[in-house]
Structure formats: structure tokens, C-alpha cells
């Protein structure tokens, strides 16, 4: 059974062991918390109506692996000092966290931004195992999303095999995401 472990605002707050981790990152309001709850099949992450509520690295235990939910980039309505703190949390994870086996960038399938593309470029340079999870596919017909797959792949500079379409709120393709994680971690 999956569960929330802790929030961490600095390296000294991190969990120190050898458990494999998957990092989730994305713009504020793309549904990272909803996606974690869908994977857990229960509510373990707080889902907020206002964007930018994740302001620390949140650790979730999924048994054979852990998910780290990172603060959203972009929209968060915070002052400059707090924004710098959030950037430092993300940078520290990128630079120093050794447990991370794969990065999953969560994007809104209906609004992929230049900021998403820039952030993916950064992820792609640092991590070979990286995926883009396009959430909120319940907003339009799946054929429309699939027709844009080549364009999205080119824009984000990622192989189509590493793009996963999901709807966390409607539980669409969540099993595919689970299976991808299992295959990555070989369990």
C-alpha cells in the first residue's frame, strides 16, 4: 500500500537509503498530485484547486520504489525569495539525489508550453531514463492527441515511445504508466 512519507525543503531533510526513486516534475496545475493518487489507488497526495501548492520535495513510498513529487515550475504565485527556494529544491535534486532512476515530466496534454520544452531539454541532458506524461486527456478525443504525437515528440525532443497519455481524474492509461515504471525498475 502506497503512503506519504515526508516533505523535504533541503538536502538535510532527505531520506538517505538505496531505494530506487521516480521523480515527478511539471508546471503548476498539471495534475501531479492527482496522478500520484491514481497510481496509489487512494488519496495520499493533497490535491489543491490553486496552482503552486507543492512547495517542497514530497516523498511517497510505493513499496518497491519511491516517488518524489517536486515543486511545480512556472505559475506558482510566490514572492521572489520563495521562488528561489523552490528552484533550489529542484536544483539540489537534479545535482545530488543519487536514488533517482527516472524522471517523469508531467505536462497538460492540452497546453504544452515553451517552458515545458525548455525544462525537458534540461531533464534530457541529465537523465537517460526520462518520460513525458501528458495528463488531462479526458478533455478531448484521444484521436486528436494521437494525431499530434509526432509534433509533440519533435517539440519536446523525446522519442514517441517515451510519451504516455493519461487522465489521472478518469483513470485512463494509469495501468500503462504503472507497467512502464515496473519495466524500468525490473520488478
Amino acid at each position: 500500500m502506497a503512503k506519504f512519507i515526508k516533505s523535504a525543503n533541503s538536502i538535510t531533510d532527505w531520506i538517505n537509503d538505496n531505494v530506487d526513486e521516480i521523480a515527478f516534475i511539471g508546471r503548476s496545475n498539471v495534475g501531479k498530485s492527482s496522478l500520484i493518487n491514481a497510481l496509489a489507488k487512494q488519496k495520499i497526495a493533497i490535491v489543491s484547486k490553486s496552482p503552486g501548492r507543492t512547495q517542497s520535495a514530497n516523498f511517497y513510498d510505493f513499496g518497491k520504489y519511491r516517488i518524489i513529487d517536486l515543486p511545480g515550475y512556472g505559475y506558482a504565485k510566490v514572492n521572489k525569495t520563495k521562488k528561489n527556494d523552490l528552484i533550489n529544491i529542484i536544483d539540489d535534486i537534479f545535482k545530488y539525489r543519487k536514488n533517482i532512476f527516472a524522471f517523469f515530466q508531467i505536462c497538460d496534454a492540452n497546453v504544452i508550453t515553451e517552458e515545458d520544452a525548455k525544462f525537458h531539454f534540461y531533464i534530457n541532458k541529465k537523465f537517460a531514463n526520462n518520460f513525458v506524461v501528458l495528463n488531462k486527456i479526458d478533455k478531448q478525443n484521444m484521436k486528436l492527441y494521437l494525431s499530434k504525437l509526432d509534433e509533440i515528440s519533435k517539440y519536446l525532443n523525446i522519442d514517441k515511445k517515451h510519451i504516455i497519455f493519461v487522465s489521472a481524474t478518469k483513470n485512463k492509461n494509469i495501468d500503462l504508466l504503472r507497467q512502464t515504471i515496473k519495466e524500468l525498475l525490473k520488478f
Side-chain angles (χ1 to χ4, degrees):
M1 176 177 277
K3 65 180 179 180
F4 170 77
I5 305 169
K6 71 183 296 187
S7 293
N9 291 313
S10 69
I11 292 173
T12 58
D13 296 333
W14 287 355
I15 297 167
N16 293 308
D17 59 20
N18 294 319
V19 174
D20 286 330
E21 295 171 338
I22 305 286
F24 277 16
I25 194 159
R27 280 184 297 115
S28 298
N29 207 31
V30 295
K32 292 184 291 137
S33 297
S34 296
L35 189 57
I36 289 168
N37 290 337
L39 283 169
K41 297 182 182 180
Q42 62 180 334
K43 186 176 179 175
I44 60 171
I46 297 170
V47 177
S48 175
K49 294 201 184 291
S50 56
R53 302 313 270 171
T54 302
Q55 297 188 358
S56 56
N58 293 316
F59 291 78
Y60 297 91
D61 180 0
F62 276 76
K64 296 183 180 183
Y65 67 98
R66 221 175 0 244
I67 289 178
I68 303 176
D69 180 18
L70 296 173
Y73 54 86
Y75 182 76
K77 290 184 178 180
V78 294
N79 65 40
K80 190 174 183 174
T81 302
K82 184 62 176 175
K83 192 169 275 194
N84 286 337
D85 290 345
L86 299 177
I87 290 168
N88 288 336
I89 290 169
I90 295 168
D91 281 346
D92 286 346
I93 293 284
F94 270 74
K95 290 176 186 172
Y96 305 115
R97 191 73 183 155
K98 302 296 183 208
N99 299 48
I100 296 177
F101 192 79
F103 246 90
F104 283 75
Q105 182 181 14
I106 317 304
C107 298
D108 184 332
N110 304 287
V111 185
I112 300 171
T113 67
E114 185 177 332
E115 195 167 21
D116 291 324
K118 286 178 183 176
F119 216 89
H120 189 75
F121 176 78
Y122 185 61
I123 293 169
N124 205 26
K125 282 175 50 177
K126 303 276 289 172
F127 295 93
N129 286 331
N130 68 81
F131 293 78
V132 171
V133 179
L134 297 175
N135 194 15
K136 302 186 180 185
I137 62 167
D138 51 291
K139 306 290 184 199
Q140 299 189 45
N141 187 304
M142 189 62 194
K143 288 181 185 178
L144 177 67
Y145 298 117
L146 292 174
S147 72
K148 294 181 179 182
L149 184 57
D150 287 330
E151 180 184 337
I152 294 167
S153 171
K154 185 176 178 182
Y155 184 63
L156 295 176
N157 192 28
I158 188 168
D159 191 304
K160 290 185 282 190
K161 296 181 292 191
H162 286 235
I163 297 174
I164 304 167
F165 291 96
V166 302
S167 170
T169 57
K170 301 291 183 186
N171 218 24
K172 290 184 181 178
N173 290 342
I174 299 302
D175 285 338
L176 175 62
L177 181 55
R178 271 192 207 99
Q179 187 60 37
T180 302
I181 292 170
K182 284 182 181 180
E183 289 172 8
L184 270 173
L185 298 174
K186 296 177 174 52
F187 66 85

